[in-house]
Amino acid sequence: MTSRFPTAVLGLGILLSSTSALAHGHSHGTPLTDAEKKASEGVFENQQVKDRALTDWDGMWQSVSPYLLNGDLDPVMEKKAQKDGSKTAAQYKEYYKKGYATDIDTIGIENNVIEFHVGKTVNACKYDYSGFKILNYTSGKKGVRYLFECKDSQSKAPKYVQFSDHIIGPRKSEHFHIFMGNDSQESLLKEMDNWPTFYEYSLSKNQVVHEMLEH
């Protein structure tokens, strides 16, 4: 199908790049509250979790997998190794290679439609919200995935999509992990090893590295 995004991407890119002289490339919006900071670290009460609309993920997003494979994220891996001695930088890189792995270059989200760009191929679908699931990890931390479903049987886009971005209530996302499949939401919830990760399309390589080092 023909992409609906080229002009929107251009406009969005110009809009965001025009503010790049401010701060370090883009706005983080309202600062996180203490509760939101704790939630981003996997510590929250179940009743704190709220529904979110797909508009929280509106925009154009780029996969960070190429940056990892190119060695651009090596400083990030080194920092992780220094912070947590359980893995070396090389071991972290292998872990994230599997985690970030995806053939999707960019994702565009607008008007409840998600477009998946793989090379010159674009698959898209309108997605309906299916609620959220709270996951309890073996580490004792928790996470939330927001579930969406494509009900167009003719679409080649993933039937089921889940977003995880360390946010547990309405708020614009700054980056996200996405889980995609055609079997069921339940089977996707079991996926813990592969979580393709996307940052704003307007960010340069250096800005992506900066974001990761700061968070």
Side-chain angles (χ1 to χ4, degrees):
M1 65 173 285
T2 304
S3 171
R4 300 167 57 255
F5 271 96
T7 53
V9 173
L10 185 61
L12 187 67
I14 291 172
L15 174 68
L16 289 169
S17 63
S18 68
T19 62
S20 61
L22 304 172
H24 53 263
H26 71 300
S27 168
H28 284 293
T30 311
L32 294 174
T33 64
D34 287 341
E36 286 175 323
K37 286 178 184 174
K38 282 187 177 180
S40 72
E41 296 165 0
V43 180
F44 56 85
E45 299 297 328
N46 289 0
Q47 61 266 29
Q48 292 177 270
V49 183
K50 306 298 181 188
D51 289 307
R52 296 171 70 189
L54 188 55
T55 50
D56 275 3
W57 295 274
D58 272 4
M60 279 298 297
W61 306 87
Q62 59 176 321
S63 168
V64 296
S65 183
Y67 294 138
L68 181 75
L69 298 177
N70 289 345
D72 297 322
L73 301 186
D74 285 358
V76 180
M77 301 300 116
E78 287 161 12
K79 182 179 178 181
K80 288 182 181 294
Q82 289 168 4
K83 190 174 180 181
D84 175 5
S86 64
K87 291 187 181 74
T88 65
Q91 287 171 328
Y92 266 114
K93 188 168 184 176
E94 288 305 309
Y95 171 75
Y96 279 92
K97 273 184 186 177
K98 188 173 184 180
Y100 288 165
T102 182
D103 60 352
I104 296 169
D105 305 308
T106 56
I107 290 176
I109 305 173
E110 184 181 59
N111 296 328
N112 291 317
V113 172
I114 305 179
E115 283 189 358
F116 300 89
H117 297 244
V118 181
K120 293 182 179 180
T121 302
V122 182
N123 291 310
C125 190
K126 178 180 180 292
Y127 283 82
D128 295 325
Y129 182 53
S130 301
F132 58 79
K133 291 290 183 182
I134 299 170
L135 302 181
N136 294 286
Y137 303 128
T138 53
S139 64
K141 299 293 182 69
K142 295 193 287 190
V144 180
R145 292 196 199 172
Y146 288 90
L147 286 49
F148 295 87
E149 181 178 349
C150 165
K151 295 180 179 177
D152 178 1
S153 60
Q154 302 303 308
S155 173
K156 292 182 179 177
K159 183 172 175 61
Y160 303 104
V161 167
Q162 300 176 359
F163 289 95
S164 173
D165 58 3
H166 319 290
I167 299 173
I168 64 170
R171 186 183 181 93
K172 291 292 287 183
S173 188
E174 292 173 2
H175 78 272
F176 60 81
H177 311 292
I178 189 168
F179 303 80
M180 303 158 283
N182 295 316
D183 294 334
S184 67
Q185 296 285 18
E186 289 69 29
S187 62
L188 266 190
L189 288 169
K190 296 174 184 173
E191 176 59 70
M192 296 288 169
D193 299 321
N194 178 229
W195 16 266
T197 300
F198 289 77
Y199 276 70
E200 292 176 21
Y201 184 82
S202 63
L203 295 183
S204 69
K205 170 187 68 180
N206 290 339
Q207 287 171 327
V208 169
V209 172
H210 177 86
E211 289 292 295
M212 291 186 171
L213 287 173
E214 290 300 306
H215 295 283

